[in-house]
Amino acid sequence: MSKPSPHLSPTQKELLLDLLEVEELFRDGRLAGGTIASHVMYKMVSRRGRTLPAPVAGKVQADHVFVGVFARTVTRLVSLGLVKRRSVRGDFPGLPYQWGFARHGKRDKDIFLTDAGLEQARQLREKATARSEARQPSEARQPSEARQQSEARQQKEPPQERALPNEGQAPVIQYAVKPKPPAGKPAQVVTGQFVVRFPGYSVTYVYTRRP
């Protein structure tokens, strides 16, 4: 008998979904620097618009209130057996302030989904995807009656060949651009010309040389 899913708060569900996404990037080798926890916290705090300038140029940090919320949420998910902490000492070269968002105080630990947490996160993502599809307009998922009738007529009627505009006729517009000789200089000698035809008009290219 499978263990019933624990009751999770919206913040806990959000963290599991973000952790699932970041772990997939990590496994695919597409996580650019930092720890998994730092990327998850960055997604969550950015979504709330609660980032602050960091002492390191080009980086941001979370306000202290959300740092506490994040830490308590992780602790609760660890107690539920959905998230685990693992030592990553030696995984990150360089100085601690170079390791990523909010990494200063967490120099040797990172967070990962457990097997139960992975299953729970995938279920949450499937439900979120189903809700997103259900919110789409019904017209996008099912053709209207008029559209169905139009498609039925197209299936019954044989395909007709459509002629291009002015097909088989002389171009309506013709361009013949000839260079004008500079003042005080003899006219250039035309050595040839090339006509390019387009639907409805043609362009004549003239080749010249100086005498």
Side-chain angles (χ1 to χ4, degrees), residues 26 31 33-36 38 87-96 98-100 103 106-110:
F26 176 76
L31 197 64
T35 62
I36 292 176
S38 70
S87 173
V88 292
R89 184 184 298 275
D91 288 358
F92 299 92
L95 298 174
Q98 298 172 313
W99 291 351
R103 182 61 188 161
K106 310 174 183 61
R107 301 187 179 187
D108 58 357
K109 295 286 185 181
D110 204 356

Side-chain angles (χ1 to χ4, degrees), residues 187-206:
Q188 297 179 353
V189 178
V190 177
T191 60
Q193 62 183 17
F194 180 70
V195 180
V196 180
R197 300 188 182 277
F198 298 95
Y201 67 96
S202 65
V203 179
T204 302
Y205 295 89
V206 181

Side-chain angles (χ1 to χ4, degrees), residues 19-83:
L19 183 53
L20 174 62
E21 180 180 347
V22 173
E23 276 200 11
E24 288 175 345
L25 295 174
F26 176 76
R27 287 194 299 270
D28 293 342
R30 294 186 289 130
L31 197 64
T35 62
I36 292 176
S38 70
H39 284 272
V40 173
M41 181 185 286
Y42 177 77
K43 289 173 68 68
M44 296 180 69
V45 75
S46 298
R47 193 177 292 123
R48 289 162 172 78
R50 300 181 66 173
T51 57
L52 298 173
V56 182
K59 295 185 180 295
V60 295
Q61 60 185 353
D63 64 61
H64 69 281
V65 175
F66 184 77
V67 171
V69 172
F70 183 83
R72 289 190 296 271
T73 305
V74 170
T75 300
R76 176 56 181 165
L77 292 174
V78 169
S79 66
L80 292 174
L82 302 178
V83 173

Side-chain angles (χ1 to χ4, degrees), residues 3-14 16 72-73 75-82 116 120-121 123-124 127:
K3 185 177 179 181
S5 301
H7 176 72
L8 301 175
S9 68
T11 304
Q12 293 166 357
K13 294 179 181 179
E14 179 186 4
L16 286 177
R72 289 190 296 271
T73 305
T75 300
R76 176 56 181 165
L77 292 174
V78 169
S79 66
L80 292 174
L82 302 178
Q120 183 73 27
Q123 292 178 2
L124 290 172
K127 292 179 181 178

